[in-house]
Structure formats: structure tokens, C-alpha cells
Amino acid sequence: MLGLGIDTGGTCTDAVIFDMDESEVLSVGKTATTKEKLEIGIEEAIKMLDADLLKKVGFVSLSTTLATNACVENKGSQVKLLLIGADKKVLKSYYKDYGFESLDDIRVIDGIPDGGYVEGVPADWEALYDMIDDFSDALAIGIVQANAQRDNSFELKAKEILSDFYDVPIVCGSSLFSELNVIRRGAGTYLNVRLIPIINSFLSAVKNVLSKYDITAPVYIVRSDGSLMSEEYALEHPVETLLCGPAASALGGGWLSKCKDAVVVDIGGTTTDIALLKNGVALTVDGGIKINGWKTFVKGMYIDTFGLGGDSLIRCDGKKTELMDYRVMPVCMVASKYPLISKRLQELAEDKFYNSKYPYEGFELVKSDFEKYNLTDIQEDICRSLMNGPLIYEDIEDRYAFENNIGVLEKYGIVMRFGITPTDIMHINGEFSKYNSTAAKAALNILSKKTYLDENVIADMVYKEFEKKLTINIIRVLIESGGDYYKEGIDKDLLKFITMQYDLGKECGMYITDFTSGVPVVGVGGPAHIFMDKVASNLNTYAVMPKHSIVANAIGTLAGQIVVEKSIEITFRSVEGIPGYCVFLDGKPVESEEFDDAIQVSAEYLKEKVNDSAKRRGAKGEIRFEENVEKTTGIFYGSPFVVGGRVSVRGYAGIN
């Protein structure tokens, strides 16, 4: 069978045709991602593939970094989250620990369902009606209630009420997660609804292009753990695509390199993603994915994502060069699209004095439907000023008003900044030649005049800073993955020490601490070949750059299968003085006198749920089940006693 793999990243879109029986790459396509209209980039990549082989494709598998990049860059749609039964004091004290910037998008009402171990509290529907106008600007709404893993009736009722007022996607958290922590479930649900338009747009674009080529094969998308789900399931659960691009890269990098143990480093345009392979299997996270401060219950591979890529914004003050942790359009790229930008930059390069701090930077309007957003008059005026084409900072008239309002437009992805990036330096150095090198040189010349540094010095500083950030982050990831002590992340002092030792080593200080990786570094992604050898040398190991590594993510999309896991807590419970155990099935308590009986009841129930979920995700054929039981013991009158536990069932299935 032939599989078609497509990966849409923040910068590039890749496509491959892969022979699943022979494990062989047959055809490859790679082009720029066109965020303003994703179909363009996807179709350009598919055009590069063998047309005869396309007709024989048996299934299509996708991955994307669009959701991941939205989290890293803190972008997404305007949404609201309703929490039912959350402790308002706890929420106010700890909301930032879960990734929320503020409480502006969160509303809370009372309500705890009966049937648990705490006394039930009626849902305050009157309070919901009183705050109903607060949801008027939301493009999607998430609802999460306390104890929903036992009874989600309050979520369903709230959805019914809100649906009477608003025709937008409304998602119940119980359909996504079953864990206890209501605020963490809220964070994951909030991200889910914020990402719905992004994934919807991606899947629609893919389907539109496939229809042009009469490809009717079933479509799957990679989940955060490297397994697959159907497109229908993905539309309801877009949060499960978080880190799916990096997950696909890890699978592809591992397969291509044939390394059983390795650090897989995928350098993209927006982010760098690090995954760890041990005994041929990617490490997974405990508890749920954490990304850019967000804590979720999304199951996934151990993948660390940070803002560093070919399109990271370069800032230089004449003393040091900094690579910002967010993506902008490279000057060379925007100038290829708009030749007038290249001409204007060349004109500016002839000047000696400039009115703006970053005269070579500018902005492009990427969403023409900006009026549907809740923007101010000034913000809409800025969008209209960009409708005729991008503007460079030096040519903006009311710069004060512009700078005070552009951040909101960038956050919602309405406007995109362009500036000097490592991609521009690569074009200037001749390592890439796809876009407008002349414009990149002009922009660097302006920066040179602003900082009084030679252009070659700036370019060298950029590469050294890129190498440094890669090395330090790999060290950080290896430390954090090495045990429980730093699993929540290394502290600022240790990170500062690592950075200081790196700098001392480069400057031949009187003492240094040497860091060594016991496994090779596998590089994937377009810019990887420029930096991997030096980074590996810094870590006293070696680099592996496998064939087809620049499309490892698209290859990795074809390596997965359907994997579903669900679990239930078993709790000791005494009824009328008789000891026993209790599990909640569909919100109703089921009592058992013996722990083994509770296990059996739970396992049978979970197999049904896993089977149903696997079918919804697109599983074909027989499902293979694995059971796991964790016991919690205590001491009762001097003897060991089972006080509870957890039953988990995992199901595996193919897609053909």
C-alpha cells in the first residue's frame, strides 16, 4: 500500500509518497507554507510528487505545527471558558500556573453534581443567564465542571443554554479529559476551543486540494502521542494535535536514522522541537503535555518545544545579538512576494539616518476578514492601511498609534511582522537561495549602520547565538528528562549556571563544567545541517543527518496507528459498616465487596469505551487490548490493605 504523508509547518509544507510494504520513500515535495491560504502551499507540495503514484495512494496521513505554533506564539481565536464548581479563590491564586494570562476569558458558576464524596451543590443557572452577554464576542466556548468524570450533566445543561444564544462551537471538557484537576482540565479545554478554527482551516485546505486530484482515500491526522485519529475526530479534539508535528518528526527521524537511542532535534521556521528515543521508542510524558506555560492533560510524547527557528526575529543592539522566541516573515520571503519592498529596502540602505528604531521591519495583512474580530477603530484603520500591501516601519505615519495597537493584531494572526531572521542570513551566506537575497542584504546593511557593526560580524553573531540556544536547550532537556527532581523544569539559577559555563568554555575561562550527551544528536528540518555538527561537538557526541531528513515529519505521519487509553479510579468505600470498593461508571456508583471484582467491572466497561473511541478515531479491524492495574495499599491493624487503585485499558488498531 502507498501512503501520502503531508506536514504543514509554520514555514514549510512537506509531502511524501511512501511504500508501506517496502518502507521506501518514492516521491518528495517541499514548499513554503502559505498561511493566508493554506491550499496554495499544500497543492504546490503535492504538485512535486509523482502524478502516477498519487493515483495509487491508499490513505493520507497529516501532521501540522499550526496548533503548536499558536501556543508558542500565544495566538488563537477569541474564546471563553465556563467553569462550573471551581473554587474561585484557588483559581485566582493559581490560574497563571496553568498557562492563563488573565481571568478575562474565564467565567465561574457554582455547581457540583451529586454522587461523589463531597456534598452536591445545585448548579447556579441563574448566574449563567446573568452573565450570558459576556460570551457575545467568543468565536468558541469551552465548558468544564468539577467531578465531570463521574457526572457531566451540568456541562451538558450549560451547553444547551449557551447554544440557545450563540451559534459557535461549544465543547464540553468531559469529552476531552477525565482527570480530576478542574483548572488543568479547563486549560486544556480552553486551548481546544481556541484551536478549533486553526485545525478546521487546515483540514478543509487539505480536503480541497485532495479533491482536485481525485484522491478519496481516508484521511488521518497524527495525535500528540504519535498515534492517529480520523479527521472527524480531530475537528472535535484539535488540542490533541498539540505537538503532533514534532511527534511525527520524532517518528520520522528515528525511522530514517535507524538510531535506537538518540536526541532528535527538529529545527523548523518557528520552533525547535526535541524528542528523546530510548530502545527505539520515543519517551512519553507523565500527566500531560506542557507547552509555553500551558499545563494540559493531553497525552503525548516527551517533546520539548521552544521558540527558535529559521524565522526567529533577530534583534541586535551593537553589543549582543538576540534571537527572539517568536516567528516573523523573513525579509527575503516578503520581498519575493512584494518586489516593491525589495526596492524600498535598497533605497533605505543608501540613507545614513533613520526615523524609526527598526526601519527594515514591517507588517503584512494576512487576514482580510479582520472586521469579524472585536477590534477598535484604530486597529481597523491599521488593517485598512495594509490592504494595499505591506508597510515598512520607516514609512508608517502615526507610529505611536501603530505601535500601541499592533500587538493585538499580531496576537490574533491578523497581521504578520517581517524582519531580519536566520533565514535571511542563510540567503546572504548562499546556503539557501529560494527567496530574495538582495532584499536580505539591504536589510542587513541598514542594521549594520544602526549598530555600527560590520555585516559579517552580525551574521557570525547570529549563527553563534543560534548554536548556543540549541546547545543549552538540549542540555536542559536531558537534565529535565533524567529523573523526578527536575521533571517540572530546571530553575532559573541552574539555567543561568549552564549558560555561564557555556560562555566560559567559549571564552577559555579558568574553569568550566563540561556537558556530555551519551547518545547521538539526530538533526531533521531545513536548517539542521548548518548547526548540528557544531552542537554535537559542544555535547561531546556526534551528529546524524539522515537522507530525506528535511521531510522527516511528513514521513513520520505514516508510521502511526490508532491507540486509545482510558482509565478508572477504584476507591475504598464502606457501606453500612461493610468494607468494599466503588467505581463510577457513567456517573453512577457501582459497588463491589472485593477489589478483584472492581477490577473486572472496570476493565469490561473500559474495553467498551476504548472500542467505541477507537472506531470513532478511524480504527479498522480487530482491536488489541492491554490492561494495567495499579494498587494503592495501606496498613490496617498491622496488615497490608488495598485502599484503592486505578485500572487502565489501552487499545491498538490499524487503519487498513
Side-chain angles (χ1 to χ4, degrees), residues 9-62:
T11 302
C12 292
T13 293
D14 306 331
V16 298
I17 296 177
F18 194 78
D19 188 324
M20 303 299 293
D21 299 319
E22 300 296 328
S23 294
E24 182 181 0
V25 177
L26 302 180
S27 188
V28 173
K30 189 179 188 73
T31 190
T33 294
T34 49
K35 284 192 173 181
E36 67 279 8
K37 191 172 178 61
L38 293 172
E39 285 95 332
I40 296 173
I42 294 169
E43 185 168 5
E44 286 300 314
I46 289 180
K47 277 183 182 178
M48 299 177 185
L49 302 177
D50 187 303
D52 292 330
L53 293 177
L54 271 177
K55 299 175 184 178
K56 302 176 183 179
V57 166
F59 73 100
V60 181
S61 190
L62 315 171

Side-chain angles (χ1 to χ4, degrees), residues 35 65-80 101 105 137-140 189-199 238 242 292 294 366-367 369 372-375 407-415:
K35 284 192 173 181
T65 60
L66 294 176
T68 303
N69 293 345
C71 287
V72 171
E73 300 177 80
N74 200 26
K75 294 179 180 178
S77 297
Q78 296 177 148
V79 300
K80 286 290 190 295
E101 286 188 333
D105 293 335
D137 63 344
L139 300 179
T189 304
Y190 178 84
L191 282 179
N192 190 78
V193 294
R194 203 168 75 163
L195 297 172
I196 285 175
I198 294 172
I199 297 304
L242 279 179
N292 197 31
W294 290 100
V366 294
K367 288 184 179 179
D369 58 346
K372 76 177 184 180
Y373 294 84
N374 188 26
L375 303 178
V408 173
L409 302 178
E410 288 186 272
K411 178 179 179 180
Y412 292 133
I414 299 170
V415 165

Side-chain angles (χ1 to χ4, degrees), residues 61-247:
S61 190
L62 315 171
S63 69
T64 179
T65 60
L66 294 176
T68 303
N69 293 345
C71 287
V72 171
E73 300 177 80
N74 200 26
K75 294 179 180 178
S77 297
Q78 296 177 148
V79 300
K80 286 290 190 295
L81 174 67
L82 174 65
L83 295 179
I84 306 175
D87 188 309
K88 295 179 183 179
K89 290 183 179 179
V90 173
L91 176 64
K92 188 174 182 179
S93 298
Y94 295 102
Y95 69 93
K96 289 187 177 179
D97 292 347
Y98 293 90
F100 295 104
E101 286 188 333
S102 71
L103 297 173
D104 293 346
D105 293 335
I106 305 175
R107 298 295 180 270
V108 184
I109 65 172
D110 293 332
I112 297 176
D114 290 321
Y117 302 123
V118 295
E119 187 175 348
V121 176
D124 191 349
W125 302 124
E126 185 175 342
L128 178 56
Y129 281 110
D130 288 343
M131 65 176 66
I132 206 73
D133 290 342
D134 293 351
F135 298 87
S136 61
D137 63 344
L139 300 179
I141 301 170
I143 306 170
V144 174
Q145 72 168 79
N147 294 343
Q149 73 280 4
R150 295 169 179 159
D151 180 358
N152 66 345
S153 58
F154 290 173
E155 286 187 353
L156 299 177
K157 177 65 176 178
K159 181 177 181 179
E160 181 182 327
I161 292 172
L162 288 165
S163 297
D164 289 339
F165 290 86
Y166 302 111
D167 184 21
V168 297
I170 301 175
V171 178
C172 294
S174 58
S175 68
L176 303 171
F177 314 110
S178 60
E179 287 78 3
L180 290 173
N181 187 322
V182 66
I183 302 177
R184 188 162 181 171
R185 276 192 287 121
T189 304
Y190 178 84
L191 282 179
N192 190 78
V193 294
R194 203 168 75 163
L195 297 172
I196 285 175
I198 294 172
I199 297 304
N200 189 21
S201 176
F202 170 59
L203 290 173
S204 296
V206 171
K207 293 290 285 185
N208 290 340
V209 174
L210 293 179
S211 66
K212 286 187 178 181
Y213 290 84
D214 296 322
I215 299 174
T216 58
V219 177
Y220 297 87
I221 187 166
V222 177
R223 296 173 68 237
S224 306
D225 60 0
S227 65
L228 301 177
M229 57 183 165
S230 66
E231 59 176 317
E232 295 83 3
Y233 191 88
L235 286 171
E236 298 174 9
H237 304 77
V239 74
E240 294 192 23
T241 68
L242 279 179
L243 300 180
C244 80

Side-chain angles (χ1 to χ4, degrees), residues 569-572 581 595 629-635 640-646:
E569 298 287 341
I570 300 176
T571 307
F572 177 76
Y581 300 89
F595 185 74
V629 178
E630 300 174 5
K631 293 182 180 180
T632 303
T633 59
I635 302 297
F641 182 73
V642 178
V643 297
R646 186 180 185 87

Side-chain angles (χ1 to χ4, degrees), residues 534-564:
K534 292 181 179 178
V535 169
S537 177
N538 292 338
L539 297 168
N540 297 297
T541 185
Y542 62 94
V544 178
M545 290 295 303
K547 184 180 179 181
H548 299 303
S549 64
I550 63 171
V551 290
N553 37 18
I555 294 171
T557 66
L558 303 168
Q561 59 180 326
I562 304 293
V563 182
V564 181

Side-chain angles (χ1 to χ4, degrees), residues 285-302:
V285 295
D286 294 328
I289 286 174
K290 301 168 189 172
I291 178 171
N292 197 31
W294 290 100
K295 293 182 180 179
T296 76
F297 282 122
V298 177
K299 304 296 187 296
M301 288 185 185
Y302 182 94

Side-chain angles (χ1 to χ4, degrees), residues 580-595:
Y581 300 89
C582 178
V583 295
F584 281 85
L585 308 181
D586 295 325
K588 299 177 181 178
V590 177
E591 312 286 348
S592 300
E593 291 187 10
E594 300 295 332
F595 185 74

